[in-house]
């Protein structure tokens, strides 16, 4: 009887380990890291965590380099041409409506843009809100006391889409961080 119980316990332990290993592998499929050569390069260059860039790309385009939004945001990081042009000009990079879709260029400009927002707001939650809704809106919300500059009341973001966007990226960012361990 004790021998059978021991065998059952061993089998259950093996199943639990297999599920745990499989679950991590499944998470790595869902939370992929395509374009890692560009993400790594520009994350390091602009001092942004790679996991944050992956979370942004996942939320923005789900790693579809040819993605275009109904508002005409383009590429992996869903850049508006005017925003991309402003960032590119400061970097001395020439962009066009076509080359903005190229993964290397898109990740370069998108990473520099989120780096600028992180530098400006000193808070990941507020920077993400600005990436989605624009700095003008975020500055207004801070000025009017709708959100705090330190991001402690980020749930008060008045745009539902932006509110959910920030939460989704923060969730995915944490998952990417966990997958690294």
């Amino acid at each position: 009887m004790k021998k059978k119980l021991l065998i059952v316990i061993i089998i259950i332990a093996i199943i639990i380990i297999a599920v745990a290993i499989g679950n991590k592998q499944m998470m790595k499929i869902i939370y992929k890291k395509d374009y890692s050569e560009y993400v790594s390069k520009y994350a390091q260059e602009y001092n942004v965590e790679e996991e944050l860039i992956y979370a942004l790309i996942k939320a923005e385009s789900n790693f579809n380099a040819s993605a275009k939004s109904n508002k005409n945001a383009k590429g992996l990081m869903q850049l508006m041409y005017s925003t991309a042009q402003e960032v590119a000009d400061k970097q001395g990079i020439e962009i066009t409506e076509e080359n903005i879709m190229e993964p290397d260029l898109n990740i370069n400009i998108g990473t520099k843009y989120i780096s600028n927002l992180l530098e400006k707001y000193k808070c990941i939650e507020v920077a993400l809100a600005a990436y989605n809704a624009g700095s003008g809106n975020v500055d207004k919300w801070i000025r009017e006391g709708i959100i705090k500059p330190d991001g402690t009341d980020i749930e008060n973001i008045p745009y539902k889409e932006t509110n959910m966007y920030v939460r989704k990226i923060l969730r995915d960012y944490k998952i990417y961080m966990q997958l690294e361990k």
Side-chain angles (χ1 to χ4, degrees):
M1 188 68 164
K2 287 182 182 181
K3 207 174 194 180
K4 286 183 180 180
L5 182 60
L6 182 60
I7 291 171
V8 169
I9 290 172
I10 291 171
I11 291 171
I12 290 171
I14 290 170
I15 291 170
I16 290 171
I17 290 168
V19 168
I21 291 170
N23 189 28
K24 189 163 187 171
Q25 291 303 321
M26 182 62 74
M27 292 299 282
K28 286 186 176 187
I29 292 168
I30 295 169
Y31 290 88
K32 55 189 173 178
K33 292 184 170 184
D34 295 355
Y35 307 101
S36 60
E37 66 276 20
Y38 305 130
V39 171
S40 181
K41 175 182 177 181
Y42 297 117
Q44 185 174 2
E45 186 173 333
Y46 301 130
N47 197 28
V48 179
E49 291 177 291
E50 289 181 32
E51 296 83 5
L52 180 60
I53 302 306
Y54 286 121
L56 272 165
I57 293 171
K58 179 172 178 36
E60 290 290 351
S61 68
N62 200 27
F63 296 89
N64 177 0
S66 59
K68 291 183 186 176
S69 76
N70 57 352
K71 293 182 180 178
N72 210 28
K74 295 181 177 182
L76 292 164
M77 297 190 74
Q78 288 294 279
L79 300 171
M80 297 297 292
Y81 187 77
S82 59
T83 301
Q85 184 70 61
E86 185 179 320
V87 173
D89 286 348
K90 290 177 183 173
Q91 296 296 109
I93 299 170
E94 192 170 323
I95 66 164
T96 64
E97 289 281 353
E98 291 74 38
N99 75 357
I100 194 174
M101 302 289 285
E102 294 172 8
D104 185 5
L105 183 64
N106 195 275
I107 293 172
N108 181 353
I109 294 170
T111 303
K112 179 58 177 171
Y113 182 50
I114 192 64
S115 172
N116 292 346
L117 294 171
L118 289 165
E119 177 75 24
K120 176 179 180 176
Y121 294 109
K122 311 278 190 251
C123 172
I124 192 169
E125 295 86 352
V126 178
L128 289 171
Y131 192 95
N132 182 260
S135 290
N137 286 316
V138 170
D139 292 345
K140 179 182 173 209
W141 298 337
I142 292 171
R143 194 172 49 252
E144 293 177 357
I146 296 169
I147 64 170
K148 295 178 184 171
D150 66 1
T152 56
D153 62 347
I154 208 68
E155 69 276 0
N156 293 335
I157 293 172
Y159 293 179
K160 184 177 180 180
E161 176 190 329
T162 301
N163 194 310
M164 297 305 291
Y165 173 89
V166 171
R167 293 168 191 258
K168 178 181 180 177
I169 292 185
L170 290 173
R171 180 201 66 210
D172 289 352
Y173 172 56
K174 287 176 186 171
I175 291 170
Y176 274 111
M177 295 290 279
Q178 289 295 321
L179 290 175
E180 287 301 306
K181 293 181 180 178

